[in-house]
Amino acid sequence: MSAESQEQVIRIGTRRSKLALKQVDLIMAELSAVHPGAKFEVHPIATMGDKDKVTPLPQLGKGLWTNELEAALVQKEVDFIVHCLKDMPTSVPAGCLLGCVTKREDPRDVVIFSARHGDKYKKLADLPAGSVVGTSSVRRAAQLRRWYPGLEFKDVRGNIETRLQKCDDEELGYDCIILAAAGLHRMNYNARIAQYLESGTEGGGMLHAVGQGALGLEVRENDERILSMLKVVEDTPTMMAGFAERSLLRTLEGGCSVPIGVETTWLDGEEEDGGRKLKIVATVVSLDGKRFVDGEMVQEVASLAQADSLGKKLAQDLVDRGAQKILDEINKVRAGPGAVKLGDVTVNATAAPAV
């Protein structure tokens, strides 16, 4: 009897939300089709971000969606973890490895208007000054402050269903909320999407979070059995684009997270040595949206190392053209104790702002 025909128990770590469990179901369906001898067990684990539903995300710091899951991986309680790639810090713990990135769902951010407005608004530009936008993302708020300075922003926490309910609750006062298209697509809430936001969107648009739309599968380093098994769900173009985006963020962070947005696009055509050209666009924006540095680069990418190099190059270009001033300002604000006001933005000095 072959090893493949013998039943193997593979334990999958995940967050407990409906979206997280749906994402695990998608991965298991693909794996089961190719590895019929494997039995997959789902191990939902509550992370800090799940347990604390009150504190604004920027104040919770890095690893708020991953720390508990990675501890279970290191302790061999699970065999791999299914993350939203955008939730993964750009550096993983010793002994762990980002082993696989899946094919990307739509990476864009979207606008969902409160049901109380009916069909009154079609896009963000339709909102009058003073309208309230719900988001827990510093990245989203900073970019929207840049393009729509008349809007006001209010934190909104919870899973997709909870945020939709809050958006529609008249007493809470939200005119719209900003969410990721990927999660809404996976949970079949497409009908609530009023506008997709990207760099070319009329009125300014917005660049998405690093890794948004893709799933990252984290494994123990040197666990060749699991790494080999996961190859069936790996999407190489997405993985290389994800590595470029994560390299850019890692280079820019310098020890702290900053409000940055990215877009990566594979250009048509193929090079003689098997590589393709990857275009990466990025922006670094001050928390109040008043200062920003935009940049883009195109480079042939045929390996993860080349993707990593492209991200570093664009990050350095942004720094050289003034992004360092924005980074320094955020570091200065975070150097003092407690919550500090930066314009009309409050930043917790001891935590990394969420991107």
Side-chain angles (χ1 to χ4, degrees):
M1 182 178 292
S2 68
E4 182 64 20
S5 63
Q6 296 177 3
E7 186 175 82
Q8 308 173 64
V9 177
I10 309 297
R11 300 158 300 174
I12 307 174
T14 176
R15 291 173 56 202
R16 293 179 173 177
S17 72
K18 290 182 180 179
L19 174 58
L21 294 172
K22 174 67 173 181
Q23 291 168 168
V24 171
D25 285 343
L26 295 173
I27 297 296
M28 284 198 301
E30 290 190 65
L31 291 175
S32 296
V34 179
H35 303 288
K39 176 185 177 182
F40 296 98
E41 293 182 352
V42 181
H43 291 248
I45 297 172
T47 66
M48 177 172 61
D50 297 313
K51 296 171 185 175
D52 185 342
K53 297 182 182 297
V54 178
T55 304
L57 295 182
Q59 297 182 19
L60 290 178
K62 300 179 187 179
L64 68 162
W65 308 117
T66 61
N67 287 345
E68 290 83 356
L69 290 164
E70 288 170 334
L73 182 65
V74 171
Q75 294 165 13
K76 298 186 177 182
E77 296 171 3
V78 298
D79 295 301
F80 71 90
I81 307 166
V82 178
H83 297 289
C84 287
L85 186 59
K86 73 183 181 72
D87 292 339
M88 289 188 68
T90 55
S91 295
V92 299
C96 297
L97 177 71
L98 174 56
C100 172
V101 177
T102 66
K103 187 175 179 61
R104 199 166 210 163
E105 190 30 289
D106 192 324
R108 294 175 292 180
D109 288 309
V110 298
V111 183
I112 295 175
F113 290 107
S114 174
R116 64 191 171 90
H117 290 313
D119 296 327
K120 184 177 181 180
Y121 303 119
K122 301 296 184 183
K123 55 185 184 298
L124 276 177
D126 295 338
L127 288 172
S131 295
V132 177
V133 178
T135 178
S136 299
S137 165
V138 171
R139 172 190 58 83
R140 289 169 176 156
Q143 289 190 74
L144 291 177
R145 284 188 174 96
R146 169 183 176 179
W147 297 112
Y148 305 97
L151 298 179
E152 297 181 3
F153 296 86
K154 181 180 177 182
D155 190 62
V156 58
R157 291 287 311 276
N159 59 32
I160 290 176
E161 291 79 11
T162 298
R163 295 190 195 198
L164 291 174
Q165 291 170 6
K166 289 181 177 180
C167 180
D168 294 337
D169 189 334
E170 292 190 25
E171 294 184 2
L172 296 180
Y174 295 104
D175 292 290
C176 70
I177 58 175
I178 310 297
L179 294 176
L184 293 164
H185 287 186
R186 289 174 179 139
M187 297 300 290
N188 297 316
Y189 285 114
N190 305 48
R192 289 302 307 264
I193 298 173
Q195 180 186 16
Y196 287 85
L197 298 171
E198 63 245 285
S199 59
T201 298
E202 181 182 355
M206 184 159 59
L207 301 184
H208 58 73
V210 165
Q212 188 158 302
L215 301 180
L217 278 51
E218 189 173 1
V219 303
R220 284 185 294 276
E221 200 169 21
N222 301 320
D223 191 339
E224 298 300 331
R225 178 178 71 105
I226 298 298
L227 282 168
S228 176
M229 174 175 283
L230 297 182
K231 282 296 181 182
V232 68
V233 296
E234 179 181 306
D235 185 76
T236 301
T238 302
M239 191 159 181
M240 289 195 288
F243 265 60
E245 294 173 16
R246 287 168 61 80
S247 174
L248 179 139
L249 179 59
R250 186 185 306 114
T251 304
L252 285 174
E253 279 178 328
C256 78
S257 295
V258 294
I260 80 160
V262 298
E263 276 184 0
T264 46
T265 308
W266 288 101
L267 304 182
D268 292 335
E270 188 167 319
E271 304 304 310
E272 292 183 359
D273 62 358
R276 294 172 61 195
K277 289 186 176 180
L278 180 65
K279 177 182 178 181
I280 180 168
V281 179
T283 186
V284 178
V285 188
S286 63
L287 297 178
D288 59 12
K290 295 179 180 178
R291 288 170 294 109
F292 47 86
V293 180
D294 302 324
E296 68 176 66
M297 280 189 178
V298 177
Q299 176 179 298
E300 181 182 335
V301 172
S303 67
L304 295 177
Q306 290 178 342
D308 191 88
S309 174
L310 175 58
K312 288 179 181 177
K313 288 179 182 178
L314 181 54
Q316 188 57 55
D317 174 68
L318 293 170
V319 168
D320 292 343
R321 293 189 294 107
Q324 191 62 53
K325 293 180 181 179
I326 297 174
L327 303 179
D328 288 345
E329 181 180 71
I330 294 173
N331 280 326
K332 182 178 180 180
V333 170
R334 292 176 64 247
V340 181
K341 273 283 191 179
L342 180 62
D344 62 345
V345 185
T346 301
V347 180
N348 183 274
T350 59
V355 296

